[in-house]
Amino acid sequence: MRRLRRTDWVRRLVRETRLLPDDLIWPIFVREGGGEPVPVASMPGVFRLSVEGCVEAALRARDLGIPVVALFPFTGTEKRDEFGTEALNAHNLVCRATRAIKKAVPDIGILCDVALDPYTSHGHDGILREGRIVNDESVEILCRQAVVQAEAGCDIIGPSDMMDGRVACIRAALDEAGHGDALIMSYAAKYASAFYGPFRDAVGSNTLLKGDKRTYQMDYGNAEEAVREAEQDIAEGADMIMVKPGLPYLDIVSRLAHEFAMPTFAYQTSGEYAMIMAAAGNGWLEEERAMMESLSAFKRAGAAGVLSYFSPRAAALLAR
Ligand code: PBG
């Protein structure tokens, strides 16, 4: 075996999988107002950007060969209410950023999250009634949110809410509104996870969240259930599926990628990013090597690509 590992050229020759800029989706956080990027404390190197800053990020992504940026809004408490009404505002932050990017960088893909958590006063992804997240009423609003986003120019609708039956309803709503070309990348297997903490800081829902999301996001003990989730989303019309978090659920990534032969993506979450950055910041591991190794693991597991906060840095490194 070691003959195949002796030199750099032979290692490159026999390498089975490789990471490309084409595999990367870059999640970016957008905020109101102009001016300089605002750092996210728990995610060193990640910032909340103005709409203008998002356009610059999209240009950078395009130049690096990154095919898609994913947009997430930071929403202050003043724009939040019990029903997440702001999600349906055609001029909300995500819609404005989407329009601005589409205008300036028409050849990059835009992914938008469908879920109410950036807009609800309680930080949940759906509608809360008597202490419970109600399913069908939430789905109705999520469908309208998806149409509003597609209208703004969003190319990929990413339902991350984990309500039952939402993919079918969103597909129907998009088609009916004349957005038959809008893709759906469903968060098919999304686990109730501690690894979303820094993200919730970044979008401003961490301190607001009442309770947890365990009545709709998956239990981390389950793998068979992930297969059922993916099966349903695909039957309902998902074009691509996603597993989230990433590294701690690599078994699920591999299983879904091989079982369904559908483009399967992994989300290297905010918490996974923060872990690597924190350890590297302490000098406990090598940042760049850990970044590339972790991203490449998704490809080896069978993923079509990865959503990662490391995307621009990894793409720049790959271009060298
Ligand atoms: C919202 C959403 C979350 C993430 C993406 N979309 C957080 C959550 O479900 O609470 C997490 C992303 C990350 O941690 O990087 N539905």
Side-chain angles (χ1 to χ4, degrees):
M1 299 308 287
R2 290 187 53 198
R3 275 193 288 273
L4 292 173
R5 298 176 198 145
R6 205 166 63 85
T7 59
D8 179 61
W9 62 259
V10 78
R11 288 193 296 268
R12 280 191 282 129
L13 184 70
V14 301
R15 182 162 234 190
E16 296 170 34
T17 56
R18 42 177 50 86
L19 185 70
L20 299 170
D22 290 338
D23 302 320
L24 298 169
I25 297 177
W26 181 17
I28 53 186
F29 297 109
V30 54
R31 63 173 174 81
E32 293 287 353
E36 291 305 298
V38 177
V40 178
S42 48
M43 301 176 75
V46 172
F47 301 86
R48 297 188 193 116
L49 306 175
S50 62
V51 168
E52 201 131 294
C54 290
V55 172
E56 281 164 30
L59 280 165
R60 185 168 156 220
R62 187 207 45 202
D63 293 345
L64 286 166
I66 295 172
V68 178
V69 293
L71 293 176
F72 295 96
F74 168 80
T75 318
T77 45
E78 72 287 349
K79 288 244 166 75
R80 291 170 179 265
D81 64 22
E82 225 182 308
F83 303 104
T85 313
E86 179 67 7
L88 307 181
N89 175 2
H91 301 285
N92 69 21
L93 197 48
V94 157
C95 291
R96 276 182 281 133
T98 299
R99 282 197 193 89
I101 292 172
K102 271 288 132 176
K103 196 162 161 224
V105 201
D107 46 351
I108 199 161
I110 300 180
L111 186 153
C112 292
D113 226 46
V114 169
L116 298 181
D117 60 319
Y119 308 111
T120 49
S121 46
H122 43 71
H124 280 290
D125 294 10
I127 302 297
L128 189 61
R129 290 217 185 269
E130 289 159 21
R132 298 186 56 195
I133 302 298
V134 289
N135 196 84
D136 296 4
E137 197 182 338
S138 299
V139 169
E140 222 169 278
I141 297 185
L142 295 166
C143 288
R144 288 164 60 197
Q145 179 184 23
V147 170
V148 165
Q149 289 172 345
E151 226 106 81
C154 171
D155 303 288
I156 308 175
I157 297 295
S160 79
D161 54 283
M162 291 301 280
M163 297 302 118
D164 285 335
R166 90 273 207 219
V167 173
C169 292
I170 290 172
R171 183 71 268 162
L174 288 171
D175 290 351
E176 202 173 308
H179 297 291
D181 286 338
L183 291 152
I184 297 179
M185 179 190 290
S186 75
Y187 289 66
K190 178 173 179 180
Y191 289 84
S193 171
F195 292 102
Y196 308 151
F199 172 96
R200 291 178 190 165
D201 272 346
V203 301
S205 60
N206 216 3
T207 52
L208 302 173
L209 183 63
K210 293 200 173 68
D212 57 50
K213 301 192 177 183
R214 281 187 278 194
T215 67
Y216 46 106
Q217 298 180 349
M218 288 178 60
D219 185 298
Y220 58 62
N222 297 349
E224 301 299 322
E225 191 186 344
V227 176
R228 290 205 301 280
E229 279 282 4
E231 211 163 50
Q232 286 188 15
D233 285 6
I234 292 164
E236 289 180 27
D239 301 290
M240 303 174 263
I241 55 174
M242 192 210 294
V243 173
K244 183 175 169 205
L247 278 197
Y249 296 84
L250 215 50
D251 57 327
I252 310 295
V253 175
S254 173
R255 183 143 173 207
L256 298 192
H258 293 110
E259 188 138 343
F260 294 104
M262 287 280 287
T264 302
F265 291 79
Y267 200 136
Q268 185 178 46
T269 53
S270 56
E272 297 170 69
Y273 175 86
M275 279 200 298
I276 292 176
M277 292 302 285
N282 277 304
W284 295 338
L285 53 74
E286 286 176 53
E287 196 171 300
E288 265 183 11
R289 289 184 55 204
M291 165 176 90
M292 297 312 275
E293 187 178 332
S294 63
L295 288 171
S296 300
F298 296 113
K299 288 300 295 290
R300 190 188 61 242
V306 192
L307 289 90
S308 173
Y309 303 96
F310 285 123
S311 290
R313 285 180 60 197
L317 209 63
L318 290 166
R320 281 219 300 263

